[in-house]
Amino acid sequence: MKKNYHTYQVSDFIEDKDFMNWLAHPDSTSSKEFYEVISSNKDTLQKAENAKAILLSLQYKNLNKSRNKDKIWSSIQNDISTTKGKSRRLWPLIAVAAASIGFILYFTLFRPEIIIEKSQLAEHRLIRLPDDSFVTLNADSEIQYDKTSFAKKRRIQLKGEAYFQVKKGNPFSVETAQGEVKVIGTSFNIYSRNDIMNVSCMIGKVIVQFINQQNAYTLNAGMSVSNANNTITKSNFNIEEHKFWRDGYFYYNNESLVQVMEELKRQYNIKTLNYTNNLLHYKYSGFFKKDNLNEAIESVFLPLKLNATFENGILSIKE
Amino acid sequence: MSLVNKESLVWNRLRSGEESALKALYLEFFGNLINYGNRMTVQHELVEDSVQESFVEIWRLRETLSPTDSPKNYLICVFRRILIKKLQSKKADFSEEILLSEADSSADFLNGFIDLENQSEIQKKLHKAMDQLSSRQKEAIYLKFDQGLEYEDICKAMDLQYQSVRNLISTGIQRLREQLSSWIIFMCLLSTFSVVSAF
């Protein structure tokens, strides 16, 4: 944490995002970090507590007195359809007929058919999409798409991590909680977990749009972009040498140890991770493999001089 | 964070003309707008009409809307503009007598805090201090801390300069702080006094 909270006044805390986050989610890891920093000085802690008291007193009553939520919505729908310029009143019969035909058509031909594909912990899955594109799901991941409209609009929602091999054709896009990736026909990987999105392009070209960012990022083959640590970083990698999770390799370049441990947990179906808060600031560079848990544990924790033991599905890490 | 992100995807669907997206935004933010409006005026029908017009307006303008990560901020801006316009034109219609009483009710932003049954003294004091703030200060603080808007968005909604919004909020917070610190000093004195008297 770069901010010097010890110079903060009460009003500075009230304007601070980490402070607000601490109030809203006191149990999150970032809040624990925040509390650790401010509680190291009694004065700072007192000021933060004062700021907390002020904000907690500002609890607004709910003045949502309206019972007309449905009524107002029908008026809105009415207004909207008149701006569309339909004169239903003149042709009530035709309208009814057209509506029922539309209704039948919709339910027979155009009804959305949402397909959800999931992978379990420790499982990788290859999925064939209706257009003959392929998606490989990493462990504990999920995609979702509408089969009916897929031929026209290839749009997929992703949670977790997946590798895409896209057949050339209509625009293809992947939405995640952190943004959107648009493609023309290519192979690429998306990692999207815990507020972090990392996109690597292997063949062709993709356009990455992060939510909360004005600029879009265009990636050619061998480039990747990530929003880890709250900054957008674009970097190059060697496609020939680069092995990915699909080959059983998990690479990290100065990334948070917690992120690495979470991946270990997913890949080896570990029940519980047991570690203390002082591991939160550790960074890891290197890789682990998916075939042998003991080796994987060694390659992650040995270089960091951490003590790791695995027993009864629980991985415990100590300094 | 993920909620906000979902919203901006819904916003994009609205921009491409999906009516279901409009409904999703309506269901999500109806309460926010009504809550806000009922603090600006006691004329609840005007508030409801303004909500209706706001959604019709963003539908009408859907093709010209730009991407946003917070549809709520946009809705609040549109809604406030429509409501204020209605309040002003309504005032012009009335006789002078009604106009005076109307002017009072609509010019005074209503804080409306939760009255906890076992409300502490200090909370009562802070609420009292909050009620003494100017109407604009109340509104800015409400938008910041209840609706969760950023300074930039409050500027757009209230049509103010960045610095004046900051000033509105920081002088408001300053007043609350004064209440709080005098309370803390008082409590300290009280506790030392009781310790001394115990001996």
Side-chain angles (χ1 to χ4, degrees), chain A residues 183-198:
Chain A
V183 222
I184 296 132
T186 183
S187 298
F188 59 101
N189 189 71
I190 306 179
Y191 172 98
S192 163
R193 303 187 200 264
N194 305 330
D195 294 345
I196 294 178
M197 174 156 96
N198 187 335

Side-chain angles (χ1 to χ4, degrees), chain A residues 58 60, chain B residues 33 35-41 76-77 79-81 83-84 87 105-113 130-151 153-160 164-165 168-169 172:
Chain A
L58 299 184
Y60 290 86
Chain B
L33 297 183
N35 242 319
Y36 180 32
N38 285 346
R39 291 189 150 79
M40 308 250 284
T41 174
I76 281 183
C77 284
F79 170 73
R80 186 186 193 272
R81 180 167 46 76
L83 178 60
I84 294 232
L87 286 171
S105 65
S106 62
D108 195 24
F109 190 83
L110 176 71
N111 275 327
F113 291 115
M130 271 297 285
D131 283 336
Q132 281 160 7
L133 300 178
S134 77
S135 188
R136 304 195 125 209
Q137 270 176 325
K138 287 183 206 168
E139 188 177 352
I141 289 179
Y142 168 78
L143 286 175
K144 176 117 178 74
F145 296 110
D146 196 58
Q147 298 276 5
L149 266 59
E150 298 291 338
Y151 287 118
D153 302 311
I154 299 174
C155 297
K156 277 183 216 145
M158 296 180 66
D159 198 16
L160 290 168
S164 26
V165 170
L168 281 178
I169 292 179

Side-chain angles (χ1 to χ4, degrees), chain A residues 87-100:
Chain A
S87 50
R88 279 185 204 160
R89 256 171 260 155
L90 290 173
W91 306 95
L93 275 178
I94 294 176
V96 168
S100 36

Side-chain angles (χ1 to χ4, degrees), chain A residues 10 14-15 50 57 59-64 66 68-69 72-73 75 79-80 84 177 211-212, chain B residues 5 19 22 26-27 35 38-39 48 52 59 69 111-114 126-127 142 145 151 166 177 184:
Chain A
V10 175
I14 284 175
E15 291 180 12
N50 285 356
S57 75
Q59 286 184 40
Y60 290 86
K61 218 186 285 179
N62 186 0
L63 293 186
N64 182 0
S66 175
N68 298 326
K69 196 168 181 178
I72 297 172
W73 173 250
S75 316
D79 288 358
I80 287 174
K84 279 180 195 157
I211 276 172
N212 305 333
Chain B
N5 295 334
E19 199 181 308
L22 187 74
Y26 176 81
L27 293 176
N35 242 319
N38 285 346
R39 291 189 150 79
E48 291 185 350
Q52 180 181 334
W59 179 257
D69 28 273
N111 275 327
F113 291 115
I114 293 177
L126 287 173
H127 288 179
Y142 168 78
F145 296 110
Y151 287 118
R166 285 198 67 120
R177 235 183 68 196
I184 287 168

Side-chain angles (χ1 to χ4, degrees), chain A residues 286-304:
Chain A
F287 71 96
F288 70 83
K289 290 202 301 194
K290 196 186 150 57
D291 49 2
N292 183 324
L293 177 59
N294 286 334
E295 271 179 30
I297 289 176
E298 247 179 38
S299 47
V300 173
F301 299 106
L302 208 62
L304 295 172

Side-chain angles (χ1 to χ4, degrees), chain B:
Chain B
M1 177 156 181
S2 60
L3 234 182
V4 178
N5 295 334
K6 264 271 173 342
E7 285 166 10
S8 89
L9 294 178
V10 174
W11 186 255
N12 286 342
R13 277 173 40 217
L14 171 78
R15 290 170 61 219
S16 59
E18 285 182 40
E19 199 181 308
S20 63
L22 187 74
K23 180 153 194 187
L25 290 172
Y26 176 81
L27 293 176
E28 180 78 28
F29 298 120
F30 176 82
N32 288 79
L33 297 183
I34 294 280
N35 242 319
Y36 180 32
N38 285 346
R39 291 189 150 79
M40 308 250 284
T41 174
V42 289
Q43 302 179 66
H44 304 313
E45 325 84 74
L46 277 191
V47 174
E48 291 185 350
D49 288 351
S50 303
V51 170
Q52 180 181 334
E53 279 181 32
S54 305
F55 282 93
V56 173
E57 171 133 339
I58 63 165
W59 179 257
R60 198 170 55 79
L61 297 174
R62 64 188 181 274
E63 277 160 13
T64 59
L65 297 173
S66 45
T68 173
D69 28 273
S70 177
K72 181 168 109 184
N73 297 348
Y74 193 91
L75 275 167
I76 281 183
C77 284
V78 173
F79 170 73
R80 186 186 193 272
R81 180 167 46 76
I82 290 173
L83 178 60
I84 294 232
K85 214 170 176 184
K86 275 192 192 299
L87 286 171
Q88 281 166 349
S89 68
K90 193 102 188 222
K91 259 188 230 166
D93 291 345
F94 281 113
S95 68
E96 209 169 315
E97 216 177 344
I98 302 173
L99 199 148
L100 279 174
S101 61
E102 272 306 307
D104 282 336
S105 65
S106 62
D108 195 24
F109 190 83
L110 176 71
N111 275 327
F113 291 115
I114 293 177
D115 300 315
L116 298 169
E117 257 180 56
N118 46 356
Q119 201 173 23
S120 63
E121 280 304 308
I122 182 63
Q123 262 177 329
K124 279 185 197 153
K125 275 196 155 185
L126 287 173
H127 288 179
K128 224 173 174 181
M130 271 297 285
D131 283 336
Q132 281 160 7
L133 300 178
S134 77
S135 188
R136 304 195 125 209
Q137 270 176 325
K138 287 183 206 168
E139 188 177 352
I141 289 179
Y142 168 78
L143 286 175
K144 176 117 178 74
F145 296 110
D146 196 58
Q147 298 276 5
L149 266 59
E150 298 291 338
Y151 287 118
E152 290 85 0
D153 302 311
I154 299 174
C155 297
K156 277 183 216 145
M158 296 180 66
D159 198 16
L160 290 168
Q161 297 287 319
Y162 185 82
Q163 198 50 45
S164 26
V165 170
R166 285 198 67 120
N167 290 347
L168 281 178
I169 292 179
S170 65
T171 51
I173 295 294
Q174 176 67 27
R175 292 256 198 100
L176 294 180
R177 235 183 68 196
E178 284 158 11
Q179 289 293 327
L180 190 74
S181 51
S182 63
W183 169 258
I184 287 168
I185 292 169
F186 174 70
M187 286 306 283
C188 287
L189 284 176
L190 203 70
S191 58
T192 22
F193 180 71
S194 52
V195 168
V196 169
S197 61
F199 280 101

